[in-house]
Amino acid sequence: MTAQTAQSIPLETQLPQASTIAMQTFCEDINGMLGISIGCALCQAGAASPDKLKPFFQKLAAVYSVQSEGVLSGRFDLIIDKTALFLLAGLFVLLPEDKIKEQCKQGTLEAAVKLTDTVKEIGNLIVGAWDRVYREHLPGHKHLLQTNTQITNPWEKPAEVFPIPADGLCLLTVWEMTVGDYPPFHAAAIFPAALFEPPKEEPQADQPQPTPDQPQEQPADQSAQPQPAAQDTQPAPQDTPPAPSQTADAPQTNTADQQPVWNAIQQLVHSQPAAAPLDVAILNCPAQIIMNTKPLWLSPNDSVETALQRMRQNAARYALIEEKDQMVGILSQSDINAAISPYLRTPFEEYRRPLDDASLQIRIKWFMSRPVRTITPDTPLWKVMDTMYRYQIRALPVQDAAGSVIGLITVMEIFHALLQPTAAAPTADTQSQKTD
Amino acid sequence: MPKSLMIVDDSATMRKIIMRTVRMSGLEFDRTEEAGNGVEAIEKLKTAPVDIVLCDINMPEMSGTEMVKQARQLPNCKDTKIIMVSTESSQELIDSILADGANGYITKPFTPERFQEKLAPFMS
């Protein structure tokens, strides 16, 4: 990737891609050094809170604190799960296969702590690989340094483990990794939202300089969003690099390239009716009039390849996931982009290898967003927009009193409704013809 | 000609991996030593100098860079070849360490071939 290309891509978008290359480089390093072949595939990336990692990292994990200098200035964390901890450490010190498998299954915190030296060295190699790759793929990157290693249950006292609250906002990237016939394991990176804040103005000479390891006091989800009061006079510029775009309790995963949309919605919701160039009556239009009544449905066992094909055929950017007549998840085009190997997409496609096609076979149940927040058919448009803004999501299924999903509203349906010439509500007939 | 080697790394695991990889490279040493940090290495070098030191950079007590500087002050270590072994790959840092008196630099991950390439010139 050239520097010019990279600079035109928001950092939050580059980071999961560059980090995936970095993690794959670590795997190649281990292969070169120890002759151990490790597979690595991105299985999830997006804005969420660290507690969304609970399904992947239960009870015991190794957490590496990394201090970054340069375009990313501050601390982020890398985490490997219990299986990774015992498996990689066992392979490093040449433990027999059956012993490694036993530890992966039954290893305790006490046993893991005895491996601290090895686990720390694994982190050193991971950070070294990441540093090399970031230097190549992230313009402006200077240096990564592993500053701490914790072997712990990260959910017992998350505030002591992570640089942000467990329900705070960050960019999460999760990989599934495999070694031979050992059980698969997970690794993840946790980038706090504060890392993506634009550089602050140079302080006055007599003002103390903030140090890189001082966490930001301001909650990440507030700092990442322009405040409503300021928006009447200073709307966010459209070319501002977006920040991770999901509040702490949002159940759905969104990618970071959505910020301008949130800004627009926020402005619309919070602007004075008299100042809005719209007929405000449209804001009371119920969801059932605006919704798309024929959303795309997929099965949780469908592959990424199938999902891509069906979404393309239906010109849909969202799909609802159904199992046994129940909606169990929602999938966005952005979720898919984050799940597939970055080598399948620009700007990395020139490096595409046969192995990268394997990511097309990932089942969507592994990365779909769930649980799904819904609205009722009579929810007014303003409430729909407010819900989307509040929870930083761009699609809301419409569920009737019996619990059946009867439609889907995305930001595109909303724009369509708002942009009607008379600002009158579109008819159900026109809505049923289109998909998002 | 018999040669001696010291591996300086705060990680016992990494010292073993380096030792294993050096052996795989086909290089043979009649004496090998280990040290967990720069202070320990300097103390050992004072009494029993070696021909080649493989040294990590980021270590507690005394870093590898400081160890190089102090080793160069020891009269019996003037001819000792010191090769840094680290995940740190910044060219700026490598240049600085070489300027301080190190004789070479190997970036982790390393391979037997890499050790062979870097150490063989000092074995004759």
Side-chain angles (χ1 to χ4, degrees):
Chain A
M1 179 167 54
T2 65
Q4 189 178 8
T5 308
Q7 279 166 354
S8 64
I9 302 171
L11 181 61
E12 300 88 326
T13 307
Q14 289 182 57
L15 212 48
Q17 296 170 338
S19 301
T20 298
I21 296 173
M23 202 52 109
Q24 289 169 340
T25 300
F26 161 72
C27 296
E28 289 165 8
D29 286 355
I30 295 298
N31 192 12
M33 200 162 93
L34 304 176
I36 300 164
S37 180
I38 306 180
C40 171
L42 179 67
C43 64
Q44 196 165 314
S49 52
D51 55 10
K52 296 294 183 292
L53 292 174
K54 280 183 184 174
F56 299 103
F57 303 91
Q58 296 173 340
K59 295 183 180 176
L60 183 57
V63 182
Y64 302 110
S65 303
V66 183
Q67 191 68 29
S68 176
E69 292 174 20
V71 66
L72 276 179
S73 182
R75 173 188 158 181
F76 68 89
D77 289 84
L78 300 171
I79 180 169
I80 61 172
D81 68 13
K82 174 184 166 182
T83 301
L85 190 160
F86 284 110
L87 173 52
L88 294 177
L91 292 170
F92 261 58
V93 297
L94 303 178
L95 284 182
E97 185 176 331
D98 56 345
K99 179 73 175 169
I100 293 175
K101 285 182 175 172
E102 181 193 328
Q103 286 197 332
C104 288
K105 204 172 177 182
Q106 299 171 350
T108 61
L109 175 61
E110 193 179 23
V113 168
K114 287 180 183 169
L115 297 169
T116 298
D117 179 64
T118 307
V119 173
K120 188 179 167 188
E121 198 55 41
I122 291 165
N124 189 24
L125 289 169
I126 295 175
V127 174
W130 280 51
D131 192 32
R132 297 200 314 274
V133 171
Y134 274 18
R135 201 168 290 138
E136 186 179 348
H137 291 276
L138 281 185
H141 171 71
K142 287 183 180 171
H143 188 230
L144 293 182
L145 181 66
Q146 179 191 354
T147 55
N148 193 27
T149 302
Q150 298 177 76
I151 296 173
T152 182
N153 177 346
W155 313 115
E156 272 185 359
K157 294 180 180 176
E160 294 177 12
V161 176
F162 301 114
I164 48 176
D167 60 353
L169 188 66
C170 56
L171 175 63
L172 300 180
T173 310
V174 185
W175 298 274
E176 184 177 270
M177 304 171 82
T178 50
V179 178
D181 65 346
Y182 289 101
F185 55 93
H186 291 95
I190 305 164
F191 301 99
L195 280 176
F196 305 102
E197 288 176 359
K200 292 182 173 58
E201 288 182 10
E202 286 295 320
Q204 298 297 319
D206 56 350
Q207 288 181 327
Q209 293 271 2
T211 56
D213 55 353
Q214 284 178 336
Q216 300 292 325
E217 292 297 329
Q218 192 180 18
D221 57 344
Q222 289 179 17
S223 57
Q225 295 286 344
Q227 295 304 302
Q231 295 218 344
D232 291 338
T233 53
Q234 286 190 318
Q238 290 302 300
D239 57 352
T240 302
S245 52
Q246 190 169 18
T247 52
D249 57 349
Q252 298 176 17
T253 302
N254 296 284
T255 53
D257 58 353
Q258 299 162 357
Q259 189 68 30
V261 176
W262 303 128
N263 290 341
I265 292 174
Q266 188 190 25
Q267 281 180 266
L268 205 50
V269 170
H270 292 282
S271 62
Q272 295 296 321
L278 296 166
D279 178 355
V280 292
I282 187 67
L283 296 175
N284 290 317
C285 182
Q288 61 188 337
I289 301 298
I290 299 163
M291 69 186 185
N292 167 18
T293 56
K294 294 181 179 175
L296 175 63
W297 288 89
L298 294 171
S299 157
N301 289 315
D302 284 337
S303 66
V304 168
E305 189 170 30
T306 301
L308 275 171
Q309 192 177 26
R310 296 282 310 281
M311 290 170 90
R312 200 172 294 129
Q313 286 169 349
N314 291 276
R317 290 189 62 80
Y318 293 88
L320 301 177
I321 315 303
E322 180 183 37
E323 186 172 44
K324 295 175 184 171
D325 296 329
Q326 293 287 319
M327 180 178 65
V328 294
I330 188 169
L331 183 73
S332 70
Q333 183 74 48
S334 302
D335 291 335
I336 292 180
N337 288 343
I340 61 174
S341 166
Y343 291 110
L344 297 178
R345 292 181 281 115
T346 52
F348 301 110
E349 60 189 351
E350 62 183 294
Y351 304 109
R352 180 173 178 164
R353 301 162 300 183
L355 190 62
D356 297 314
D357 291 333
S359 64
L360 292 172
Q361 301 311 315
I362 297 171
R363 292 182 180 185
I364 58 181
K365 66 182 176 183
W366 298 119
F367 62 91
M368 66 185 185
S369 297
R370 59 185 171 182
V372 185
R373 192 173 293 277
T374 59
I375 51 172
T376 57
D378 58 353
T379 307
L381 176 55
W382 69 266
K383 183 71 174 171
V384 175
M385 294 164 70
D386 190 57
T387 303
M388 286 183 166
Y389 170 68
R390 191 178 305 279
Y391 298 106
Q392 304 283 279
I393 49 182
R394 292 202 296 182
L396 282 166
V398 182
Q399 200 168 31
D400 65 16
S404 301
V405 176
I406 60 170
L408 176 70
I409 288 188
T410 72
V411 288
M412 291 304 161
E413 271 76 40
I414 293 174
F415 291 164
H416 180 72
L418 294 175
L419 294 173
Q420 291 297 302
T422 60
T427 65
D429 286 341
T430 60
Q431 285 303 302
S432 64
Q433 296 302 311
K434 71 182 185 64
T435 56
D436 175 51
Chain B
M1 182 181 172
K3 290 284 179 184
S4 52
L5 172 74
M6 178 185 286
I7 297 170
V8 188
D9 198 306
D10 59 319
S11 164
T13 302
M14 188 48 68
R15 293 200 298 270
K16 285 187 177 64
I17 291 175
I18 291 174
M19 188 65 80
R20 189 196 310 162
T21 312
V22 167
R23 287 196 182 116
M24 287 167 68
S25 73
L27 300 169
E28 291 184 3
F29 295 89
D30 65 316
R31 179 167 67 89
T32 56
E33 299 278 348
E34 290 186 18
N37 58 55
V39 174
E40 192 182 332
I42 291 294
E43 287 306 312
K44 286 191 173 183
L45 287 172
K46 281 178 183 171
T47 54
V50 295
D51 297 302
I52 296 175
V53 175
L54 294 175
C55 183
D56 187 18
I57 292 178
N58 296 317
M59 294 183 291
E61 304 284 331
M62 184 191 292
S63 70
T65 50
E66 182 59 26
M67 196 223 81
V68 172
K69 289 178 191 170
Q70 294 201 19
R72 288 299 173 226
Q73 305 302 316
L74 299 177
N76 57 0
C77 284
K78 290 208 183 300
D79 295 326
T80 298
K81 306 302 179 189
I82 304 178
I83 314 295
M84 310 308 287
V85 183
S86 176
T87 52
E88 297 278 357
S89 55
S90 149
Q91 192 57 47
E92 201 173 296
L93 177 70
I94 294 172
D95 292 343
S96 156
I97 288 172
L98 293 177
D100 283 338
N103 299 88
Y105 197 99
I106 295 174
T107 306
K108 293 178 190 171
F110 42 71
T111 58
E113 294 75 23
R114 189 80 175 134
F115 276 119
Q116 168 71 29
E117 176 195 334
K118 286 284 180 181
L119 301 189
F122 303 131
M123 297 295 284
S124 56

